[in-house]
Amino acid sequence: MVRVRFAPSPTGFLHVGGARTALFNFLFARKEKGKFILRIEDTDLERSEREYEEKLMESLRWLGLLWDEGPDVGGDHGPYRQSERVEIYREHAERLVKEGKAYYVYAYPEEIEEMREKLLSEGKAPHYSQEMFEKFDTPERRREYEEKGLRPAVFFKMPRKDYVLNDVVKGEVVFKTGAIGDFVIMRSNGLPTYNFACVVDDMLMEITHVIRGDDHLSNTLRQLALYEAFEKAPPVFAHVSTILGPDGKKLSKRHGATSVEAFRDMGYLPEALVNYLALLGWSHPEGKELLTLEELISSFSLDRLSPNPAIFDPQKLKWMNGYYLRNMPIEKLAELAKPFFEKAGIKIIDEEYFKKVLEITKERVEVLSEFPEESRFFFEDPAPVEIPEEMKEVFSQLKEELQNVRWTMEEITPVFKKVLKQHGVKPKEFYMTLRRVLTGREEGPELVNIIPLLGKEIFLRRIERSLGG
RNA sequence: UGGGAGGUCGUCUAACGGUAGGACGGCGGACUCUGGAUCCGCUGGUGGAGGUUCGAGUCCUCCCCUCCCAGCCA
């Protein structure tokens, strides 16, 4: 059975890059009838916050990427927060020490940093080995650690040999001998480092596939060595490409919105975001681009992941969002749009009227947040607009003649034509002026849709106000 | 300093060693009020140089550019 995991750190909001990784894991799990597991990697004590954990979950739920095992829903392989698994890591570290595959180090982090800088200044790679730390292991130093309640760090003895990774996306990757030196697996504060915790967890949680960003490709070398030390077969690895900003650098806040939450607040739909993200580094076998979550699940496969980085294109996402908006059932659209009207201070009194407004204006918006301003004239009178002198009589006559007309375009349009012809006014200029009188703007939905919905009373009132009556 | 990944229109992405195509964007047209909707058309690309081959985006070599790891962050 396929078991995959998404393992974010609760150090911020859900980034679209992480969301894309979660999405691929989710799609693969669902396609293979496997399990999608959420694991919280909260060993960075300074940056991790419970509030972020909750926000991450909220965003994943909003996207529709529901997990089968996790801190909230539990499961057979818990706990699902790394901070609750510290004893497990300690035991595994001690096992490696006993087997001679790891060792204690009594150097302070600052001392190690010094060694590192020295190596770099000498033009050498900052690789460590056990001999370098022996001088710190003295009775005085040990006593010191004990008095301060410190634990020695645990370093893993990195075997000096080649490692080969057959990655699903990247193909065969060879890590040459001497690529890295020994590395920390347990810190002096008693918490594990990323690579160690990751391997222990993936092993114990019986993860079959690790689908993650290729920024961790080089970390895989350490993890392969750890699997070997534990005498366990590693999972299948698939390193997906990185999402970059327009400048080719990693996508970050300086490029604009990067979190799922920010896009949600701007009025983007989960359907659109999921669809767009899925196409960054993956393609449908037939080249289809507009795909529901269900279609993504049925067509997804790891072998159609592409290895090159992708630049995030807000314009294509916005276009896609507009498409989903326009093709959504009006009832659902109404529910989703309401919060944006409330925020804009527009009161919705008549539900049916509201739906009709959305039906007309949706042609002209691409995100939910654009609805209020685009349709404000349906709910509030715009400031009166000056009618050009040569058209005042036209509007006066229309005001009179339309009083007793049944309010449909079939009966209204002939009146327009008749009056325009009588006054020798061109349709183009008339309609533009009418548009400004009714909406206060020069652009908007089609007048043939606006007029019936506004109703006779509002139509005539706005003409009257502009006539200065 | 050491190790690893990547490079196809502006962007995303397709192409058994055999026609470089699709989408978004941009430009133009149609839609007889406007237009962010709709329809039609155009524009536009294999980082560079060699090699192998009947034939190279694809295989090989060198060069260039970009990204990632070597944190007691993840």
Side-chain angles (χ1 to χ4, degrees):
Chain A
M1 162 179 269
V2 164
R3 291 174 61 82
V4 294
R5 76 333 185 247
F6 178 57
S9 295
T11 53
F13 298 104
L14 183 60
H15 188 274
V16 289
R20 202 272 308 260
T21 300
L23 175 60
F24 285 162
N25 275 282
F26 176 84
L27 295 178
F28 185 65
R30 290 291 175 271
K31 178 65 187 283
E32 304 292 327
K33 307 291 195 292
K35 300 292 182 186
F36 176 54
I37 296 146
L38 177 63
R39 183 170 79 214
I40 301 295
E41 300 195 330
D42 54 350
T43 55
D44 183 347
L45 293 180
E46 290 182 11
R47 297 194 291 170
S48 297
E49 295 189 22
R50 210 55 177 274
E51 177 192 345
Y52 286 132
E53 180 185 310
E54 189 50 46
K55 294 259 187 207
L56 287 170
M57 291 186 185
E58 201 178 294
S59 290
L60 285 172
R61 287 192 196 101
W62 181 73
L63 289 172
L65 309 184
L66 305 184
W67 48 98
D68 306 299
E69 296 174 31
D72 54 338
V73 296
D76 293 338
H77 297 74
Y80 291 89
R81 287 189 193 89
Q82 283 185 340
S83 59
E84 296 169 5
R85 299 171 61 86
V86 174
E87 201 53 40
I88 296 173
Y89 306 128
R90 196 173 293 144
E91 289 165 4
H92 280 75
E94 280 168 11
R95 167 185 163 182
L96 290 183
V97 170
K98 282 197 187 95
E99 293 174 1
K101 295 172 183 174
Y103 53 92
Y104 293 109
V105 171
Y106 284 87
Y108 288 116
E110 313 85 59
E111 288 168 328
I112 299 176
E113 176 64 23
E114 242 180 69
M115 290 165 59
R116 172 177 144 79
E117 282 170 6
K118 186 163 186 289
L119 287 169
L120 280 173
S121 71
E122 292 170 355
K124 296 176 184 173
H127 296 164
Y128 306 121
S129 57
Q130 193 171 8
E131 308 82 66
M132 295 178 176
F133 301 114
E134 281 172 352
K135 62 188 175 195
F136 298 106
D137 191 354
T138 63
E140 296 76 36
R141 181 58 68 91
R142 286 186 179 226
R143 206 178 304 124
E144 223 176 277
Y145 264 61
E146 193 169 327
E147 288 168 2
K148 292 181 179 176
L150 294 178
R151 305 165 186 274
V154 182
F155 270 67
F156 178 72
K157 275 196 202 170
M158 185 65 201
R160 265 58 172 177
K161 53 182 272 201
D162 288 1
Y163 282 85
V164 179
L165 163 67
N166 284 294
D167 187 271
V168 172
V169 180
K170 309 286 184 179
E172 179 178 285
V173 180
V174 182
F175 298 103
K176 304 299 288 182
T177 305
I180 57 173
D182 298 350
F183 57 93
V184 187
I185 56 175
M186 291 295 283
R187 305 169 198 160
S188 53
N189 64 6
L191 293 179
T193 60
Y194 162 71
N195 284 302
F196 185 63
C198 180
V199 168
V200 172
D201 287 346
D202 286 345
M203 225 171 34
L204 297 183
M205 293 181 183
E206 302 182 283
I207 299 300
T208 58
H209 296 72
V210 170
I211 305 166
R212 64 187 175 190
D214 64 6
D215 46 323
H216 285 296
L217 184 60
S218 301
N219 282 331
T220 313
L221 170 55
R222 292 173 182 73
Q223 295 178 12
L224 288 178
L226 286 168
Y227 277 104
E228 191 179 59
F230 285 125
E231 294 168 17
K232 291 282 185 163
V236 174
F237 285 99
H239 287 92
V240 301
S241 57
T242 303
I243 299 184
L244 308 175
D247 59 355
K249 312 280 187 191
K250 247 179 164 178
L251 186 66
S252 71
K253 283 188 184 170
R254 66 190 176 82
H255 294 117
T258 60
S259 71
V260 170
E261 188 161 296
F263 282 107
R264 189 194 64 193
D265 293 345
M266 284 192 278
Y268 283 85
L269 306 175
E271 293 92 331
L273 195 54
V274 162
N275 191 151
Y276 177 72
L277 290 178
L279 299 181
L280 291 181
W282 178 85
S283 66
H284 185 273
E286 294 157 25
K288 279 185 65 177
E289 292 208 306
L290 295 169
L291 300 154
T292 63
L293 191 55
E294 287 67 42
E295 284 171 315
L296 285 171
I297 290 169
S298 64
S299 59
F300 187 80
S301 67
L302 291 180
D303 62 6
R304 295 203 61 83
L305 287 169
S306 100
N308 43 296
I311 296 183
F312 192 85
D313 184 359
Q315 281 185 313
K316 187 159 185 177
L317 168 61
K318 201 173 183 187
W319 163 78
M320 201 172 264
N321 199 78
Y323 173 85
Y324 276 102
L325 238 170
R326 292 189 293 278
N327 289 279
M328 175 182 288
I330 198 66
E331 291 76 18
K332 184 177 176 187
L333 184 59
E335 287 310 306
L336 294 177
K338 270 184 192 162
F340 292 91
F341 281 84
E342 284 165 19
K343 217 182 308 184
I346 297 177
K347 286 193 165 94
I348 311 299
I349 295 167
D350 185 328
E351 185 78 15
E352 292 309 311
Y353 179 76
F354 180 59
K355 286 181 193 169
K356 287 175 182 164
V357 170
L358 294 184
E359 193 68 54
I360 291 173
T361 42
K362 69 182 183 184
E363 293 181 350
R364 296 187 49 77
V365 305
E366 291 186 301
V367 294
L368 293 167
S369 57
E370 291 173 348
F371 266 119
E373 292 315 314
E374 189 62 31
S375 50
R376 192 177 280 276
F377 67 87
F378 277 116
F379 299 97
E380 304 167 358
D381 283 337
V385 170
E386 184 88 24
I387 295 178
E389 202 61 41
E390 62 272 19
M391 265 188 270
K392 279 201 170 139
E393 289 187 5
V394 170
F395 279 91
S396 288
Q397 187 173 347
L398 283 177
K399 196 188 77 177
E400 299 307 321
E401 300 222 6
L402 291 172
Q403 296 276 358
N404 301 306
V405 163
R406 222 163 48 89
W407 205 247
T408 69
M409 291 315 299
E410 288 74 32
E411 304 213 8
I412 295 167
T413 304
V415 176
F416 283 166
K417 285 183 176 172
K418 186 187 72 173
V419 173
L420 289 186
K421 187 174 178 184
Q422 284 178 7
H423 294 263
V425 170
K426 290 188 176 151
K428 190 177 185 117
E429 279 146 25
F430 163 72
Y431 283 116
M432 192 47 106
T433 304
L434 179 61
R435 170 176 294 284
R436 285 204 293 270
V437 168
L438 295 181
T439 71
R441 298 155 50 116
E442 298 195 333
E443 306 151 358
E446 296 185 316
L447 283 174
V448 295
N449 293 325
I450 294 176
I451 294 170
L453 189 52
L454 265 188
K456 189 191 290 185
E457 183 190 331
I458 293 178
F459 180 91
L460 294 175
R461 183 174 76 230
R462 288 185 187 174
I463 287 183
E464 175 149 357
R465 289 162 80 251
S466 285
L467 281 171

